[in-house]
Amino acid sequence: MRPVRTRHAQRRPRGTRAAVLVALVAVACLGLAACSSDDGGEGSEPDAGPEGQKVSKGATLDATWPLTGLPVTGSQTAAQDHPVMVVKMDNTPSSAPQRGLDAADLVVEELVEGGVTRLAAFYYSRIPGTVGPVRSMRASDIGIVSPAGAAVVTSGAAPVTLQRVRGAGIDFFSEGAKGFFRDSGRAAPYNLFTDLAATTTLVESAEARPDDYLPWGDAQDLPRGKPAGSLSASFGSHTTTWSYGKDGWTNSNSYAAQGEQFPADTVLVLRVQVGDAGYRDPAGNPVPETKLEGKGDAMLFHDGRVVRGQWSKKSLQAPIALSVRGKELTVPAGRTWIELVPAATGSVGIG
């Protein structure tokens, strides 16, 4: 298919810093090196990604990374010449082994049709090579990626979803764009991958540092909470399980390749409202739409404990705010996995 230029999202100015962490570093620039879809959840033909050229101007960082709150160290860069990249990844047994999760800064797990889930894996401080399997977008992704001004790597989407994503000003790249390839050793549609370092070169430079995705803070600031050595987040047909140990929180039933699991310091569970996206998949299942705006209950799992509070989000584009007993709740700086568990039909077990 012919390449089509997608609309570029506006970059918002940097917000107020929540984390008090160390040291500015010297500014340097880091050079980093869709088509028809057989994606089972969507019966559509996505656009190919744009062949746009980057500009040389990059987003200058301050002391911390926006997706983790961790300090930018002297061995890293003080400027990034790309926006946040989000890869839509399959999260069913057919996806095993998933590639590239270990390099993500942050992961969001969301409900799709049939009670199973997909992942939105966020990359910014590090852009890896092979990532996937890559699957399709949902309207739910607008509220997930917009606060970061992110570009999405996807296998496509249904026409109604494409229209809404374009209307939200979100860049996306699909099969046919640079970096996408099919793994001949896997069955379609679970064989689409991207060389993310190559695909990222198609994106125009971000001119402003992304806002902090979460209100970052320090573990010492957390309320005491209650002991929690395990948790299970049930979405319907799929339940994601976690256990706490010396290396943080481990996804006990991960589909990631050996050595490529996401190393979660924190698991943040948000109980969310889920509506109907207004169309059905090829099997006749209604497609759900997670409503990541408004407010709901939150559970923050860190260091073997759980703190219960509330989350709020004023709009799809707004950042996530957290509170406990009317006071701001911050997330300890580190790598966070967010579970968007349906409030009405999902459940969370704590052990």
Side-chain angles (χ1 to χ4, degrees):
M1 294 182 63
R2 62 182 179 87
V4 178
R5 178 173 296 277
T6 63
R7 184 178 304 170
H8 292 282
Q10 284 190 320
R11 309 294 177 197
R12 293 172 297 285
R14 172 160 41 96
T16 301
R17 304 291 303 148
V20 181
L21 297 166
V22 294
L24 292 170
V25 295
V27 175
C29 289
L30 176 66
L32 298 170
C35 318
S36 69
S37 171
D38 51 10
D39 193 343
E42 305 272 355
S44 61
E45 182 175 306
D47 290 346
E51 297 292 336
Q53 295 182 344
K54 293 193 301 177
V55 296
S56 59
K57 186 175 180 180
T60 302
L61 302 178
D62 57 9
T64 60
W65 295 103
L67 298 181
T68 64
L70 293 170
V72 177
T73 68
S75 63
Q76 296 171 313
T77 180
Q80 291 291 73
D81 62 353
H82 59 80
V84 173
M85 303 294 293
V86 173
V87 179
K88 288 306 306 296
M89 191 179 301
D90 190 82
N91 195 45
T92 66
S94 299
S95 69
Q98 296 163 332
R99 301 294 310 278
L101 273 180
D102 58 320
D105 289 322
L106 179 144
V107 176
V108 178
E109 183 171 8
E110 61 184 289
L111 177 71
V112 292
E113 56 273 18
V116 299
T117 63
R118 286 198 185 158
L119 307 179
F122 286 63
Y123 299 87
Y124 187 65
S125 66
R126 176 184 169 193
I127 300 295
T130 300
V131 180
V134 179
R135 297 298 299 274
S136 58
M137 296 182 291
R138 298 292 185 273
S140 307
D141 294 316
I142 296 173
I144 293 171
V145 308
S146 291
V152 183
V153 177
T154 175
S155 66
V160 63
T161 301
L162 290 176
Q163 182 178 5
R164 291 182 61 183
V165 169
R166 290 191 183 102
I170 296 171
D171 274 355
F172 61 90
F173 300 89
S174 302
E175 186 177 9
K178 184 177 180 180
F180 282 84
F181 65 94
R182 293 275 178 177
D183 183 342
S184 61
R186 300 192 187 213
Y190 309 101
N191 62 348
L192 181 63
F193 289 81
T194 179
D195 177 346
L196 189 58
T199 302
T200 300
T201 64
L202 299 175
V203 189
E204 290 186 359
S205 297
E207 296 185 2
R209 177 193 182 280
D211 292 336
D212 284 346
Y213 195 82
L214 292 169
W216 302 114
D218 193 281
Q220 296 179 351
D221 299 328
L222 282 180
R224 181 166 177 76
K226 294 184 177 181
S230 65
L231 75 101
S232 57
S234 177
F235 291 81
S237 300
H238 173 77
T239 299
T240 299
T241 58
W242 295 88
S243 60
Y244 179 73
K246 62 182 180 63
D247 296 323
W249 289 92
T250 299
N251 182 185
S252 312
N253 59 343
S254 172
Y255 302 119
Q258 184 174 2
E260 295 188 27
Q261 280 198 21
F262 180 80
D265 298 299
T266 300
V267 179
L268 178 62
V269 177
L270 307 182
R271 302 304 301 270
V272 296
Q273 299 300 315
V274 177
D276 190 328
Y279 64 98
R280 294 178 179 269
D281 71 5
N285 298 309
V287 176
E289 180 180 349
T290 295
K291 307 289 187 180
L292 195 51
E293 61 181 331
K295 58 184 178 180
D297 293 333
M299 286 169 276
L300 192 158
F301 294 82
H302 182 83
D303 198 23
R305 305 188 72 83
V306 58
V307 176
R308 293 178 179 271
Q310 292 75 43
W311 69 270
S312 62
K313 200 165 178 286
K314 294 181 179 180
S315 68
L316 293 177
Q317 292 73 30
I320 297 168
L322 300 169
S323 63
V324 58
R325 293 185 291 276
K327 297 182 179 180
E328 182 187 31
L329 175 64
T330 58
V331 180
R335 297 168 82 177
T336 301
W337 182 294
I338 302 176
E339 303 279 16
L340 300 181
V341 179
T345 60
S347 64
V348 180
I350 303 173

